[in-house]
Amino acid sequence: MSNENAIRRNVGAWALMFTGLGSIIGSGWLFGAWRAAQLAGPGAIWAWVIGAVVILFIAITYAELGAMFPESGGMVRYGQYSHGTLVGFIAAWANWIAIASVIPVEAEASVQYMASWPWQWAQDLYHHAAGGAGTLSTTGLAIAAALVIVYFLLNYWSVNLFAKTNAWITIYKLIVPALTAIALMATSFHPENFHVGAHGGPHAYSISAILTAVAISGIVFSFNGFQSPVNLAGEAKNPGRNVPFGIIGSIVLATIVYLLLQVAFLGAMEPAALAKGGWYALDFSSPFAQLALALNLNWLALLLYSDAFISPSGTGATYTATTARMIYGMERNGTLPKVFGRVHARFGIPRPAMWLNLVVAFIFMFFFRGWATLAEVISVATIISYLTGPVSVSVLRRTAPELHRPLRIPMLRVIAGLAFVFATELLYWARWPRTGEIILLMVVALPIWLWYAVKRGGADLTRQIRGALWLIFYLPAIALLSWAGSAKFGGHGYIPYGWDLLIIAVVAVGFFAWGLACGWRTPEVEAIEMDARAHPDAVMVPPDEETAERMTGR
């Protein structure tokens, strides 16, 4: 039995949707409304709407890919099918960084919420700082590390157990946010708050502030949970129907919940608290719980404190499962040691991959000790990870038209093009220098790919590099535009505000066209097509790179 066959295909449509919803409604709902209000004031409502629309466009392209290639860790494989191993590696690296770092941020969120408990030892777990830049103490980090280990153990034996447990956790996670929003609006609602600006004074909608909130306040970070149904496609029953259902259903439901929470947070705040410095001056360790206590809703505060463990823990457990599948997928791409592709024969779990992610989670926790800071890092890495999906799905329509597509998105080229432009704009909205820092983090990993390419004898090395030229030039180009862009997005002001957004869009269209031209019929696609002809009734399982080259004689 192959490793891929050892993966169990027993996750249904509702379990997939709950997996996506469980990933989306994590620590983001506990902190996102507060952080978005800090950056955009009442404009935070529009930030959630824009974020949902942008992510929906991106997610639709991945829905076709997830149904077409129902395999574990699929999000890190699609770039390789369309453009070769180098693009596949860059996409996989960005995706893995974005997802693996969610595990520690969820644990940090739980501990940070404890810091508003009425005991001194709990308050000492978190050190406050302006602009949401507070950090956990050493004791706080130790408790967060223990939570990460709990997430690890929940996933160590069975994905089916994980899926069933996650469904119940997610139902609870839906009830508590909805109840929080209703209780706050019913108890205290001040319409005048919607006229207070982010930094005090009268509110005037700032497009740049709203767009920045979309990128770094936790909105992209929260909606990134749509990837979980894609990464679990290999365990899905009827992936052509169930994967799209899981992706789109989870985004729509989560958007409704987040909008209710944002309106409730803005309306329930006491106007006197906004008199000094507006929304930006609000400094919370546990925003909704502290707000509930201020309104004498003690029962709600207790419920929120319990959910501060359940919601992030549900998301942390979900991501512990999906990141293991991503490492599994990267090994199948041929860019990680084979040990990480081993799947436990009885439980169907890639256990070595789980151990690697556990170590990486501890590293992220050590360097980024507060929710807001780590959420920014995750958001930018997440945006970079979105770039290849729209290009890959379009290229595969040309290079692999004969492959079975259980889901075929109408007007794909237009939707994919818009998704790529939106992702590029998101990357720019994340502001310099954060954009440049994370792009640099993508580049430093390239020696790993080169090592494995040379180790394989450098076969077809030129072809692999040509297929990746568009992405190789794209990353520094966007970093340069971010550096030179308007001051509203952290740049040096060489490009005026307004024109910068237009230039970014035009550049994105150019790179999207270049990315389509660089796509080619890779050995993996040829091997999939050959296997489909030989076994027309079998479930399509894409081969790893070594098998694909052997099957196609390359």
Side-chain angles (χ1 to χ4, degrees):
M1 177 179 290
S2 69
N3 276 344
E4 187 67 35
N5 288 333
I7 293 285
R8 311 289 173 79
R9 300 182 184 275
N10 54 8
V11 182
W14 288 96
L16 280 175
M17 190 189 76
F18 281 131
T19 298
L21 198 57
S23 297
I24 294 173
I25 301 180
S27 62
W29 91 264
L30 296 167
F31 295 96
W34 158 64
R35 187 69 179 126
Q38 275 193 320
L39 295 171
I45 295 171
W46 288 106
W48 285 102
V49 174
I50 293 170
V53 172
V54 168
I55 296 301
L56 196 57
F57 269 89
I58 294 169
I60 286 172
T61 65
Y62 280 102
E64 177 167 318
L65 289 167
M68 186 178 174
F69 302 109
E71 56 177 325
S72 295
M75 289 286 290
V76 303
R77 297 271 281 159
Y78 307 139
Q80 178 147 336
Y81 298 150
S82 60
H83 291 82
T85 60
L86 182 50
V87 168
F89 176 78
I90 295 173
W93 178 258
N95 208 287
W96 178 58
I97 291 293
I99 300 297
S101 51
V102 171
I103 301 170
V105 84
E106 298 301 320
E108 289 183 353
S110 293
V111 178
Q112 191 167 321
Y113 244 66
M114 292 171 61
S116 62
W117 288 4
W119 300 291
Q120 188 61 47
W121 67 266
Q123 295 169 9
D124 290 341
L125 297 176
Y126 179 75
H127 304 307
H128 290 268
T135 59
L136 294 181
S137 66
T138 302
T139 305
L141 285 175
I143 298 173
L147 285 174
V148 170
I149 294 174
V150 171
Y151 306 158
F152 175 87
L153 294 176
L154 284 175
N155 284 276
Y156 199 66
W157 284 281
S158 172
V159 70
N160 197 35
L161 173 63
F162 147 76
K164 290 178 180 178
T165 304
N166 187 67
W168 288 106
I169 291 175
T170 303
I171 291 172
Y172 180 79
K173 289 166 63 174
L174 273 175
I175 293 172
V176 174
L179 185 60
T180 298
I182 293 169
L184 290 178
M185 286 190 283
T187 304
S188 174
F189 195 82
H190 304 281
E192 62 268 32
N193 289 354
F194 293 83
H195 301 287
V196 179
H199 294 276
H203 172 63
Y205 281 99
S206 169
I207 300 299
S208 61
I210 291 172
L211 298 180
T212 297
V214 174
I216 65 173
S217 71
I219 294 175
V220 168
F221 159 72
S222 296
F223 280 121
N224 189 41
F226 83 83
Q227 294 192 33
S228 292
V230 178
N231 282 318
L232 289 173
E235 284 98 322
K237 295 181 289 188
N238 194 356
R241 182 195 66 188
N242 294 345
V243 172
F245 177 86
I247 293 171
I248 297 172
S250 60
I251 292 175
V252 171
L253 287 177
T255 301
I256 295 171
V257 172
Y258 278 121
L259 285 174
L260 285 172
L261 287 165
Q262 187 66 67
V263 171
F265 180 83
L266 292 169
M269 187 64 58
E270 283 296 322
L274 304 176
K276 297 180 180 180
W279 298 98
Y280 187 80
L282 297 177
D283 184 16
F284 291 118
S285 62
S286 48
F288 281 113
Q290 288 172 274
L291 189 54
L293 288 171
L295 297 174
N296 293 318
L297 295 174
N298 295 329
W299 65 270
L300 180 59
L302 291 173
L303 188 63
L304 286 164
Y305 284 133
S306 67
D307 192 70
F309 280 96
I310 294 173
S311 284
S313 295
T315 302
T318 299
Y319 277 73
T320 301
T322 54
T323 50
R325 274 78 184 169
M326 294 172 77
I327 292 295
Y328 173 84
M330 291 173 73
E331 184 278 329
R332 287 174 61 77
N333 282 352
T335 51
L336 282 179
K338 289 187 178 298
V339 64
F340 295 116
R342 293 179 185 170
V343 177
H344 193 279
R346 179 183 174 189
F347 296 112
I349 299 293
R351 285 183 169 178
M354 289 185 64
W355 282 107
L356 174 63
N357 285 326
L358 182 64
V359 173
V360 171
F362 288 149
I363 293 173
F364 271 106
M365 188 178 298
F366 178 80
F367 284 104
F368 303 99
R369 303 186 177 196
W371 184 91
T373 304
L374 186 49
E376 282 190 25
V377 174
I378 295 169
S379 296
V380 181
T382 295
I383 295 164
I384 294 175
S385 75
Y386 290 155
L387 297 169
T388 56
V391 180
S392 294
V393 72
S394 301
V395 166
L396 289 166
R397 284 280 185 96
R398 170 174 59 84
T399 60
E402 74 287 352
L403 288 184
H404 176 56
R405 288 170 170 80
L407 174 68
R408 193 176 183 89
I409 302 297
M411 298 179 62
L412 176 70
R413 186 67 61 89
V414 174
I415 292 174
L418 287 172
F420 188 84
V421 171
F422 289 155
T424 304
E425 292 281 5
L426 274 173
L427 190 55
Y428 179 71
W429 302 341
R431 298 175 60 89
W432 181 268
R434 186 70 76 193
T435 299
E437 291 169 353
I438 305 304
I439 287 176
L440 180 62
L441 183 61
M442 300 301 106
V443 174
V444 298
L446 292 181
I448 299 176
W449 173 83
L450 186 61
W451 163 264
Y452 279 98
V454 172
K455 187 178 179 181
R456 290 191 299 269
D460 213 12
L461 188 60
T462 303
R463 171 74 273 187
Q464 303 290 348
I465 294 175
R466 283 206 309 267
L469 282 177
W470 67 280
L471 189 55
I472 292 172
F473 281 93
Y474 171 91
L475 293 174
I478 299 304
L480 179 62
L481 286 172
S482 182
W483 173 84
S486 66
K488 288 182 179 292
F489 293 103
H492 287 73
Y494 297 115
I495 305 175
Y497 173 62
W499 285 103
D500 55 346
L501 299 176
L502 178 60
I503 290 171
I504 287 291
V506 171
V507 169
V509 170
F511 273 104
F512 179 73
W514 191 5
L516 297 186
C518 286
W520 56 294
R521 190 174 174 86
T522 61
E524 286 81 7
V525 166
E526 288 193 8
I528 292 168
E529 196 275 332
M530 290 169 57
D531 190 58
R533 286 201 307 265
H535 308 93
D537 297 325
V539 176
M540 191 280 297
V541 179
D544 56 29
E545 186 192 17
E546 183 179 329
T547 303
E549 291 180 351
R550 186 173 63 252
M551 291 174 67
T552 57
R554 297 193 181 190

